[in-house]
Each structure stands twice: as structure tokens, then as C-alpha cells.
């Protein structure tokens, strides 16, 4: 059995698969962290529509992880206004493929890509209560920067902490 994970640029044809596992992963991650009635309002159709718009964003790079010929994870990132700084928008993995190295492979591909562009810092904003994501980013070598912000998404307000990875 081949457990190789292939990382490549996301294509338009990937959107139905990505929307499906992104929805499942998002529900799994936030079900116990946000109000249940608000989380349940976020439908698969919402993710399908969002991904069509995301792929049109020229500043954003979207990588996808393929395992056994199926998309099972993605990572999105973009440059920040300050030279050499990049933002990881997110890493999501299908719940059935978690803890198999997919997220780490995606994270590593992001770091390798931005290093080629002379990056010196990668940041990510993480919901303060999302311990699973915090553990993942710390495992990748990221550390809290000390910055905290209030965010609002889909009508829900929550606190996020910034994690950073210094690359030089």
C-alpha cells in the first residue's frame, strides 16, 4: 500500500472535493468552539461558493494534498504588505486523513515555496480556543508572537492569536 502524499497547486476541478473536505474539517474543528446553532448554518454550499471566489484571488496560493488519487487537504498562503513576510491563511485536512502527515507535508511545502521568494517570516492567526490547531502549528516550529485580535466571521466573533515562524 502506497501512503505517499502528493502536494500540488489547486485546480478549478479540485473545488468540489476541497469544498467537501474543508466543510467536514471546519465542522470537526469548530463544532465545540463556537455556538452550535451558528456552526450548523455553515453549509457545504457556502464552502463551494467560497472556493470559487478564492481561486480567483491572484495574491493567494492554494496547495492541495493528494493521497490515493483523492484530495485530502489544502494550505493557502499569501504575501503580506511588509517585504519578506507571508501569511498562512489556513491548513485543513479531511478528518479521515488526519494524523497521517498530510498537514505537515502541506506546511512544509508552503515554507519551501516562500523561502524561494526570500521570505523571512510566516504568520498565521489561530482561534485562541482551537488547541488542536495551536498544537499543530507549534509542532511545525511556530511560536506565539504576542499579538491577539478579535475576528468576526459568518456573524460569529472570537479571539485569535498570531503564531509566527522566523525563517532567517
Amino acid at each position: 500500500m502506497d501512503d505517499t502524499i502528493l502536494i500540488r497547486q489547486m485546480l478549478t476541478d479540485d473545488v468540489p472535493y476541497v469544498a467537501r473536505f474543508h466543510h467536514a474539517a471546519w465542522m470537526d474543528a469548530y463544532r465545540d468552539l463556537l455556538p452550535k446553532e451558528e456552526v450548523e448554518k455553515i453549509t457545504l454550499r457556502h464552502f463551494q461558493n467560497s472556493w470559487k471566489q478564492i481561486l480567483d484571488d491572484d495574491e493567494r496560493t492554494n496547495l492541495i494534498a493528494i493521497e490515493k488519487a483523492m484530495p485530502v487537504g489544502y494550505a493557502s498562503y499569501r504575501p503580506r504588505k511588509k517585504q519578506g513576510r507571508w501569511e498562512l491563511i489556513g491548513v485543513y485536512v479531511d478528518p479521515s486523513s488526519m494524523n497521517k502527515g498530510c498537514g505537515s507535508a502541506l506546511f512544509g511545502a508552503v515554507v519551501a515555496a516562500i523561502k524561494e521568494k526570500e521570505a523571512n517570516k510566516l504568520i498565521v492567526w489561530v482561534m485562541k480556543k482551537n488547541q488542536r490547531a495551536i498544537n499543530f502549528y507549534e509542532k511545525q516550529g511556530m511560536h506565539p508572537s504576542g499579538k491577539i485580535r478579535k475576528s468576526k466571521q459568518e456573524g460569529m466573533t472570537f479571539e485569535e492569536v498570531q503564531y509566527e515562524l522566523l525563517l532567517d
Side-chain angles (χ1 to χ4, degrees):
M1 179 164 71
D2 185 13
D3 289 334
T4 304
I5 298 169
L6 169 71
I7 307 293
R8 65 165 170 77
Q9 290 282 334
M10 190 181 300
L11 306 172
T12 303
D13 290 347
D14 296 322
V15 167
Y17 302 101
V18 173
R20 193 172 307 119
F21 76 69
H22 187 191
H23 178 249
W26 194 90
M27 296 297 282
D28 186 58
Y30 297 109
R31 179 178 297 119
D32 297 328
L33 302 178
L34 295 168
K36 183 178 179 178
E37 62 278 357
E38 296 298 324
V39 170
E40 289 175 353
K41 289 180 187 177
I42 311 298
T43 64
L44 175 57
R45 180 162 309 282
H46 167 81
F47 284 89
Q48 291 166 334
N49 293 335
S50 293
W51 273 105
K52 290 173 187 170
Q53 293 173 349
I54 290 167
L55 288 182
D56 289 337
D57 183 346
D58 292 336
E59 288 203 352
R60 186 169 171 165
T61 300
N62 303 292
L63 300 178
I64 190 167
I66 307 291
E67 184 179 40
K68 297 179 185 163
M70 288 298 298
V72 295
Y74 85 87
S76 290
Y77 61 99
R78 66 178 168 217
R80 301 296 298 163
K81 291 179 180 146
K82 196 167 185 179
Q83 183 71 22
R85 299 205 179 176
W86 290 76
E87 179 178 12
L88 180 63
I89 301 166
V91 176
Y92 282 85
V93 175
D94 187 306
S96 67
S97 294
M98 291 181 91
N99 301 312
K100 296 180 181 177
C102 182
S104 294
L106 283 161
F107 188 90
V110 169
V111 170
I114 66 173
K115 279 184 172 180
E116 288 181 10
K117 297 176 188 213
E118 300 181 16
N120 56 36
K121 184 189 245 184
L122 176 65
I123 65 154
V124 66
W125 288 96
V126 184
M127 183 185 287
K128 193 174 185 177
K129 295 191 286 184
N130 190 344
Q131 195 59 51
R132 180 172 34 181
I134 289 169
N135 291 344
F136 170 77
Y137 291 121
E138 287 179 349
K139 181 180 173 188
Q140 306 310 313
M142 298 190 89
H143 304 282
S145 70
K147 295 181 182 177
I148 297 174
R149 72 180 184 188
K150 285 221 185 271
S151 291
K152 188 171 185 176
Q153 188 176 23
E154 311 301 334
M156 296 173 273
T157 303
F158 48 90
E159 278 194 332
E160 291 182 303
V161 294
Q162 185 187 80
Y163 273 70
E164 64 184 6
L165 178 66
L166 302 178
L167 300 170
D168 51 3

